[in-house]
Every structure is written in structure tokens, then in C-alpha cells.
Amino acid sequence: MSESEQNSESLQDPAAHAASMVGHHYKVEHVYEVGREKVREYARSVQDWHPAHHDEDAAQSLGYDGLLAPLTFISLVGIIAQKRMFKEFITGYDPSQILQTDQRLEFHKPISVGDELSCEVFLDSFRQMSGSDIITTKNIVTDQNGELVQTTWTTLVARTGGEVDENIAHAVKEVIMHGAS
């Protein structure tokens, strides 16, 4: 089979295409600038009331120049990274048929206001089990100085085919689009 036939076949079969992309990586195009109000908003949304997320004096008393982001703040960068991955590189999956099943975070340094975060995304592994595609991504996040901030691994279970309720598909699309803003 020629390379163009293999590419055509993998585009028709999302699982074959995803499997062929293992090892592929890309850098998220835009830097994510961590803003004071975004940290406060995120902390409220996850109900994390630690003073260092809301009060600059509290963060300074801990030795930081500005507010500290909650530990899971990195999910905002992850949403942007995964959206691009499923739009441009691992195509053929309906977002309403993708479920995050596992996440592992390795913390290297705190995220604070003023950080400019860059993210490199790797398709770490792919396998199939019980009619589902199991996709693991690895994100390496660095700051404006090139210092390692976090390494994350996210495992997703995806399915292709089958009928999808239009209302559910629309709701999932809205959640994904809202989270990427």
C-alpha cells in the first residue's frame, strides 16, 4: 500500500489515524498569560478558598510576588491543547464521545500571576479495548524563562460511530468552546 493510500485509509478510520500519530508532538501556538483575575475566578469556580489565590498580601507572606494559582489551574491550558489536538491532528472523533478517565500531574513549581505558560503536547500512547480507543497525552508546561512548571498525563476514552443526541453534542461543544476562551 502506498503512503498516500495509508494516509487516506487512516483519515477514514480515526483509530488507525490516532495510532499512527503516537509520538507526534506540537507546541501550542500561543502563550497563556496568567492573570490575577483569572486566578481568582478559577479558584472560586473550584471552591479553593486558600488566601494565596485571592489575596496578594497572603501570597506575598508565603514568599511569592503575586497570587498563586490553584494546583489544577493548568487544566485551562490543557483544554486549549486538547481542543487543537482533536481538531487538527487526531481527527474523526466527536467531542461528545470522549471521556477523560485519568489525569496525572507532576508539579515542578507553582504557577503565579504574571507567568507566561507554553505547552508542548505529545500523543503518548494509543490502544483499543472493548470497542473504545484509549488515548494518553503528555503535556510539558514551561514558563517564560523556559523553566519546567508541570508535566501532565491525560487519558481519554473515545468512541467513533453510533448515534449522538444533538442536544448532548451541542452542550459538549459549548463547554469545550467556553473553556478555551
Side-chain angles (χ1 to χ4, degrees), residues 141-157:
V141 181
T142 55
D143 66 11
Q144 63 276 10
N145 301 314
E147 293 180 36
L148 194 55
V149 175
Q150 284 187 9
T151 305
T152 68
W153 292 265
T154 304
T155 302
L156 306 158
V157 174

Side-chain angles (χ1 to χ4, degrees), residues 64 68-69 71 74 106-112 115 117 141-151:
Y64 297 95
L68 291 178
L71 293 174
I74 201 65
E106 188 174 303
F107 300 95
H108 305 288
K109 64 178 271 191
I111 296 172
S112 61
D115 280 346
L117 304 177
V141 181
T142 55
D143 66 11
Q144 63 276 10
N145 301 314
E147 293 180 36
L148 194 55
V149 175
Q150 284 187 9
T151 305

Side-chain angles (χ1 to χ4, degrees), residues 23-51:
H24 179 79
H25 65 93
Y26 64 91
K27 191 166 189 166
V28 174
E29 293 172 353
H30 301 288
V31 170
Y32 186 93
E33 295 182 29
V34 180
R36 182 178 58 237
E37 293 311 313
K38 191 54 111 175
V39 167
R40 287 177 174 150
E41 175 186 316
Y42 185 85
R44 281 191 306 273
S45 73
V46 297
Q47 299 181 17
D48 188 335
W49 307 115
H50 191 284

